Amino acid sequence: MRTVYLADHSVVLALPAFVPAFIVVGVIVAMVVRDRRRGDDEHDDQPFLDEDEMLDEDDRQLDESTDDRGEDR
Amino acid sequence: MTRILAHGTGEAAAFPVDITYALIGGSWALAISFLVLAFAWKTPRLDPAKHWAVLPRLTRFADARGVREALGVLGLVLAVGALVVGFTARHQHDNPLVGTFFIWLWVGLVPASLVFGPIGKVVSPVRTLHRLVCTALHRSPARGLRPYPSWLGRWPAAVGLFAFVWLELAVVHKGVAAVAWWCLAYLVVTAAGAIVFGDRWFARAEPFEVYSGVIATMSPLARDASSRELVLRNPLCGLSTYRTGAGAVAVIAVLLGSTAFDAWSATHRATGIPARTAILLLFVVVVGVSFWLATMAVGGVTRERRLSIPGKMAHTLIPIAVGYLVAHYAKYFVEDGQEVLHSWLTAFGADEPAAWTPFTDHPTLGSVLAVAAIVVGHLLAVVAAHDAALRILPKRHHLTGQLALMLLMVGYTFTGLWLLFGG
């Protein structure tokens, strides 16, 4: 069988494709590093759930998923 | 020999601009949107409890016993009919079983679940059969011989979905008999599971019901959590209702990895079922493991909490998976879907009506739709991931905790488009 390639694109294209993504990573990392050095980083005023609460939440989700209510039409 | 799902070729030739621009543009769009979100979207907004409107009349219609029974019986009759035709028909060509299974069921569940919600469970033939038998025996469908073990989660569904994509993509040159035997094996396994674990088995382990449920998280039609009435909502708000727990990532990794393999195998002809099986599995594992690692690349969390993040973020991959499904299957749904109807008509001796073939007539339509679906799917995934990160990551790590995932999603976009256009 003969395979005809309609288009051939080298993976090198991935380099320009990723440039903005790496710039974004660089910008955000630079900002975070600067903020942390300055030390005016806000505290975790809203720490996400602590360990016990998280376990409770997992249990709740398990419970929810086990009671199998019709949720469709 | 029927090979109904040959991958649609010609996307690259039909795309109106040089696809290099699509590859780079899609990837750039993602990075730029992430930057905008980082500065403009600072509190979680996608609350699954929010909705636009309540639909009481539609709820009454959808909950009517007659409607549900009719849809269930329709699914059952279609499944039994397709199996009978599959095992008995002499003609391999145009056998309705193959089209009904691959096009109406697998491809059709995508638009049906996007519009109507998790409809897979309503039309599921084994669920209907189980319910009818339980009613006849005067037992509750929920009762099984043993409780469903919670550690198993949705792993059986992930395995079932892999078995399906294996038949669809890894088994080349499959005859009708192979499909018929697969369906029979599926019926036996699903029925056995329901007998042992009760109807909870369907919600956790039945591949097509789980598949429909995954897609339905993006439906604008949903149930209000407390009143159970049907509501219209922002489709992105439903994503986080995707259940966490064992197998949550695996189910989506199978969907995503298999579409990537589908695109790849259109131009790379690995022959032999063992080789294709191994490569298909590799695609799925790479997608799953890369997501698992990228979501855990977060600072300031304990080990246990870190391990829980991939499951809590798994829903962010759903828009990507749906984007690929639309990109790959739109043509099959519209054009091959009609052919399946025609194959049923000819099986009963009727004439074939003329087919409507917009994608064949206008190849540009298909290629533009495919690129748009993939890019939009990834953009929605970045939005969903950002919102989820605001909800579940510690505040100091809201942005840095998403960077690895953002890079991964740019990688998925590029690879997805690159594979679609033939590498």
Side-chain angles (χ1 to χ4, degrees), chain B residues 57-309:
Chain B
R57 289 172 84 176
L58 192 62
T59 309
R60 276 199 297 280
F61 174 76
D63 286 347
R65 209 188 145 85
V67 173
R68 294 196 158 245
E69 292 295 337
L71 283 171
V73 169
L74 179 74
L76 188 59
V77 167
L78 209 56
V80 171
L83 257 189
V84 169
V85 173
F87 274 113
T88 57
R90 298 215 187 100
H91 301 292
Q92 294 275 303
H93 182 64
D94 268 3
N95 190 299
L97 168 69
V98 178
T100 306
F101 184 56
F102 285 116
I103 305 294
W104 280 9
L105 174 70
W106 182 251
V107 175
L109 270 179
V110 180
S113 308
L114 278 178
V115 174
F116 300 118
I119 197 163
K121 70 191 285 184
V122 186
V123 296
S124 162
V126 195
R127 200 184 249 281
T128 307
L129 191 65
H130 181 250
R131 194 176 59 238
L132 293 176
V133 171
C134 285
T135 315
L137 297 176
H138 300 292
R139 359 169 355 127
S140 157
R143 226 178 90 196
L145 303 173
R146 305 175 64 99
Y148 187 85
S150 63
W151 55 265
L152 208 51
R154 268 158 299 161
W155 277 104
V159 172
L161 284 169
F162 186 82
F164 175 85
V165 295
W166 172 80
L167 176 73
E168 182 198 9
L169 304 169
V171 181
V172 279
H173 309 307
K174 48 188 160 287
V176 176
V179 179
W181 280 109
W182 191 99
C183 292
L184 198 65
Y186 153 81
L187 290 178
V188 169
V189 171
T190 313
I195 293 168
V196 176
F197 298 113
D199 66 358
R200 186 160 299 158
W201 171 259
F202 297 117
R204 302 302 193 81
E206 205 275 286
F208 304 110
E209 187 169 322
V210 170
Y211 170 67
S212 170
V214 168
I215 299 163
T217 59
M218 280 194 78
S219 170
L221 194 67
R223 296 261 176 191
D224 182 72
S226 51
S227 72
R228 310 303 299 155
E229 286 206 283
L230 286 172
V231 293
L232 268 186
R233 65 170 179 198
N234 174 349
L236 285 182
C237 286
L239 285 175
S240 60
T241 60
Y242 179 67
R243 289 164 187 165
T244 57
V249 177
V251 164
I252 301 178
V254 171
L255 294 179
L256 217 52
S258 61
T259 42
F261 174 83
D262 187 13
W264 176 84
S265 66
T267 45
H268 298 75
R269 293 181 195 282
T271 45
I273 294 175
R276 292 177 73 85
T277 307
I279 297 170
L280 175 62
L281 189 62
L282 184 70
F283 267 84
V284 170
V285 169
V286 167
V287 168
V289 169
S290 61
F291 179 78
W292 191 68
L293 291 176
T295 44
M296 288 198 301
V298 178
V301 286
T302 59
R303 188 171 174 276
E304 272 165 85
R305 195 174 289 178
R306 188 188 303 280
L307 286 171
S308 78
I309 294 175

Side-chain angles (χ1 to χ4, degrees), chain A residues 2-28:
Chain A
R2 198 170 70 94
T3 309
V4 179
Y5 288 93
L6 290 170
D8 194 18
H9 296 276
S10 124
V11 198
V12 177
L13 274 179
L15 293 178
F18 273 89
V19 165
F22 283 121
I23 293 176
V24 168
V25 171
V27 167
I28 288 178

Side-chain angles (χ1 to χ4, degrees), chain A residues 5-6 8-9 11 13-14 16-18 20 36 41 44-45 48-49 51 61 65-66 69-73, chain B residues 10 19-20 23 27-28 62 68 118 121-122 200 204 223 228 244 267 302 305 392 395-396 411 414 418 423:
Chain A
Y5 288 93
L6 290 170
D8 194 18
H9 296 276
V11 198
L13 274 179
F18 273 89
R36 286 192 189 161
D41 194 22
D44 255 354
D45 42 10
F48 91 160
L49 313 170
E51 233 34 70
Q61 281 185 344
S65 53
T66 46
R69 296 166 296 197
E71 43 179 32
D72 39 32
R73 66 156 279 195
Chain B
I19 66 109
T20 309
L23 289 177
S27 312
W28 285 28
R68 294 196 158 245
K121 70 191 285 184
V122 186
R200 186 160 299 158
R204 302 302 193 81
R223 296 261 176 191
R228 310 303 299 155
T244 57
T267 45
T302 59
R305 195 174 289 178
I392 65 179
K395 193 163 187 186
R396 277 170 70 105
F414 181 85
W418 186 65

